[in-house]
Amino acid sequence: PTADAEKQAEKTNEITVAVDASGHYVINRVPLANPGVDTLSEALRRAAGDHIDPVIVINADAGATHQSVINIMEASRLAGYSRISFATQAKNGK
């Protein structure tokens, strides 16, 4: 039970940023209208709320451009967040 509680507490300090093949960004299930780096950075700050050092979890569609992922990383840097992780998905059957 203690380990489960610790894992759950960690997840509240995560901000999930998804980007699709069209370059549309979604932060914690909230779509962004403007995909600029400054807009992303401000949205990350809002999503962080009171958390001082959140983990930014990047979930990029296989068709997303490298630049769209770099934009998330740059927005994280501008917001002052250095902890970045990437979500992965296993292929079916493997």
Side-chain angles (χ1 to χ4, degrees), residues 12 14-18 26-31 43-44 46-48 57:
T12 61
E14 289 182 355
I15 299 172
T16 302
V17 183
V26 178
I27 297 180
N28 287 347
R29 299 184 184 186
V30 178
L44 289 173
R46 281 194 308 273
V57 180

Side-chain angles (χ1 to χ4, degrees), residues 1-14 51:
T2 305
D4 290 343
E6 288 175 17
K7 284 182 183 179
Q8 191 169 9
E10 285 179 28
K11 292 205 179 258
T12 61
N13 197 30
E14 289 182 355
H51 295 290

Side-chain angles (χ1 to χ4, degrees), residues 18-68:
V19 61
D20 66 16
S22 300
H24 296 112
Y25 295 93
V26 178
I27 297 180
N28 287 347
R29 299 184 184 186
V30 178
L32 255 64
N34 177 351
V37 173
D38 291 333
T39 303
L40 280 167
S41 181
E42 183 57 36
L44 289 173
R45 285 187 196 104
R46 281 194 308 273
D50 294 336
H51 295 290
I52 295 172
D53 192 20
V55 176
I56 309 302
V57 180
I58 299 174
N59 187 355
D61 181 275
T65 65
H66 286 98
Q67 186 60 54
S68 62

